[in-house]
CSV table of all heavy atoms in Angstrom, one decimal:
chain,number,residue,atom,x,y,z
X,89,TYR,N,93.3,94.6,45.6
X,89,TYR,CA,94.0,95.0,44.4
X,89,TYR,C,93.2,94.7,43.1
X,89,TYR,O,92.3,93.8,43.1
X,89,TYR,CB,95.3,94.3,44.2
X,89,TYR,CG,96.3,94.9,45.2
X,89,TYR,CD1,96.3,94.5,46.6
X,89,TYR,CD2,97.3,95.8,44.8
X,89,TYR,CE1,97.1,95.1,47.4
X,89,TYR,CE2,98.3,96.3,45.7
X,89,TYR,CZ,98.1,95.9,47.0
X,89,TYR,OH,99.1,96.5,47.9
X,165,ALA,N,100.3,105.1,54.9
X,165,ALA,CA,100.8,104.0,54.1
X,165,ALA,C,102.2,104.3,53.6
X,165,ALA,O,102.4,105.5,53.1
X,165,ALA,CB,99.8,103.7,53.0
X,169,ILE,N,105.5,99.1,46.9
X,169,ILE,CA,104.2,98.8,46.4
X,169,ILE,C,104.1,97.4,45.9
X,169,ILE,O,105.1,96.7,45.6
X,169,ILE,CB,103.8,99.7,45.2
X,169,ILE,CG1,104.8,99.6,44.1
X,169,ILE,CG2,103.5,101.1,45.7
X,169,ILE,CD1,104.4,100.2,42.8
X,194,HIS,N,94.7,99.8,44.0
X,194,HIS,CA,94.2,99.1,45.2
X,194,HIS,C,93.6,100.1,46.2
X,194,HIS,O,93.9,101.3,46.2
X,194,HIS,CB,95.4,98.3,45.9
X,194,HIS,CG,96.6,99.2,46.3
X,194,HIS,ND1,97.5,99.5,45.4
X,194,HIS,CD2,96.9,99.7,47.5
X,194,HIS,CE1,98.5,100.3,46.0
X,194,HIS,NE2,98.1,100.4,47.3
X,195,THR,N,92.8,99.5,47.1
X,195,THR,CA,92.3,100.3,48.2
X,195,THR,C,93.1,100.0,49.4
X,195,THR,O,93.6,98.9,49.7
X,195,THR,CB,90.8,99.9,48.4
X,195,THR,OG1,90.8,98.5,48.8
X,195,THR,CG2,90.0,100.1,47.2
X,196,HIS,N,93.2,101.1,50.3
X,196,HIS,CA,93.7,100.8,51.7
X,196,HIS,C,92.5,101.1,52.6
X,196,HIS,O,91.8,102.2,52.5
X,196,HIS,CB,94.8,101.8,52.0
X,196,HIS,CG,96.1,101.5,51.4
X,196,HIS,ND1,96.9,100.5,51.8
X,196,HIS,CD2,96.7,102.0,50.3
X,196,HIS,CE1,98.0,100.4,51.1
X,196,HIS,NE2,97.9,101.4,50.1
X,332,PHE,N,91.9,105.0,51.8
X,332,PHE,CA,92.0,105.8,50.6
X,332,PHE,C,92.3,104.9,49.4
X,332,PHE,O,92.7,103.8,49.6
X,332,PHE,CB,93.1,107.0,50.7
X,332,PHE,CG,94.5,106.4,50.9
X,332,PHE,CD1,95.4,106.3,49.8
X,332,PHE,CD2,94.9,106.1,52.2
X,332,PHE,CE1,96.7,105.9,50.0
X,332,PHE,CE2,96.2,105.6,52.4
X,332,PHE,CZ,97.1,105.5,51.3
X,334,HIS,N,94.5,104.0,46.3
X,334,HIS,CA,96.0,104.1,45.9
X,334,HIS,C,96.2,103.7,44.5
X,334,HIS,O,96.1,102.4,44.3
X,334,HIS,CB,96.8,103.4,47.0
X,334,HIS,CG,98.3,103.7,46.8
X,334,HIS,ND1,99.3,103.2,47.5
X,334,HIS,CD2,98.9,104.6,45.9
X,334,HIS,CE1,100.5,103.6,47.1
X,334,HIS,NE2,100.3,104.5,46.2
X,336,PRO,N,99.2,103.6,42.3
X,336,PRO,CA,100.6,103.8,42.3
X,336,PRO,C,101.0,104.6,41.1
X,336,PRO,O,100.6,104.3,40.0
X,336,PRO,CB,101.2,102.5,42.4
X,336,PRO,CG,100.2,101.6,43.1
X,336,PRO,CD,98.9,102.1,42.5
X,344,THR,N,106.5,104.2,48.6
X,344,THR,CA,105.3,105.1,48.8
X,344,THR,C,105.7,106.1,49.9
X,344,THR,O,106.3,105.7,51.0
X,344,THR,CB,104.2,104.3,49.2
X,344,THR,OG1,103.8,103.5,48.0
X,344,THR,CG2,103.0,105.3,49.5
M,501,LIG,CU1,99.0,101.5,48.6
Side-chain angles (χ1 to χ4, degrees):
Y89 286 77
I169 57 167
H194 57 279
T195 62
H196 285 284
F332 63 98
H334 188 186
T344 295

